[in-house]
């Protein structure tokens, strides 16, 4: 996901964009690793459009303190997928 986003200003006097230097957090974020790239995505659309992800996120986490997907150091690893395809999926689910 982009680090900075430009949003149009509608204050009536200055049409210049607002530049955001921080990431926008959409709530419950999940991390995936595909090939060697770690992707960050809001969970809500994944569960909204996929029974597989919805079921995966409802599974009990067990007694481990680390939960897969909770941060960049512990992403959900998707084997046998290409990063370019996962990136395309995210662009469809989360258009800018």
């Amino acid at each position: 996901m982009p680090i900075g986003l430009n949003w149009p200003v509608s204050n009536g006097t200055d049409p210049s964009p607002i530049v955001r230097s921080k990431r926008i957090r959409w709530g419950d974020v999940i991390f995936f690793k595909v090939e060697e790239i770690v992707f960050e995505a809001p969970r809500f659309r994944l569960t909204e459009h996929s029974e597989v992800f919805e079921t995966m996120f409802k599974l009990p986490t067990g007694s481990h303190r680390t939960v897969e997907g909770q941060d960049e150091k512990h992403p959900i690893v998707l084997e046998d997928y290409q990063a370019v395809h996962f990136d395309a999926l995210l662009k469809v689910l989360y258009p800018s």
Side-chain angles (χ1 to χ4, degrees):
M1 299 190 91
I3 298 294
L5 297 173
N6 293 327
W7 298 93
V9 177
S10 61
N11 65 6
T13 60
D14 185 8
S16 62
I18 296 172
V19 178
R20 295 181 184 255
S21 59
K22 294 182 179 181
R23 292 183 191 182
I24 296 175
R25 295 288 184 186
W26 299 100
D28 204 6
V29 175
I30 193 83
F31 294 85
F32 294 94
K33 184 175 182 182
V34 184
E35 295 180 319
E36 294 304 313
I37 300 173
V38 175
F39 293 89
E40 176 182 353
R43 187 182 296 212
F44 75 96
R45 286 253 169 87
L46 291 166
T47 58
E48 182 180 318
H49 295 286
S50 169
E51 289 181 25
V52 173
F53 285 122
E54 182 180 14
T55 302
M56 179 193 308
F57 298 148
K58 286 182 179 178
L59 291 173
T61 57
S63 61
H64 302 288
R65 290 184 179 220
T66 356
V67 177
E68 222 179 9
Q70 75 178 2
D71 57 36
E72 292 179 62
K73 292 180 183 179
H74 306 95
I76 295 171
V77 179
L78 299 178
E79 300 286 343
D80 300 326
Y81 291 93
Q82 293 180 0
V84 67
H85 294 157
F86 192 72
D87 186 55
L89 171 67
L90 293 179
K91 286 179 181 176
V92 170
L93 292 175
Y94 309 99
S96 54

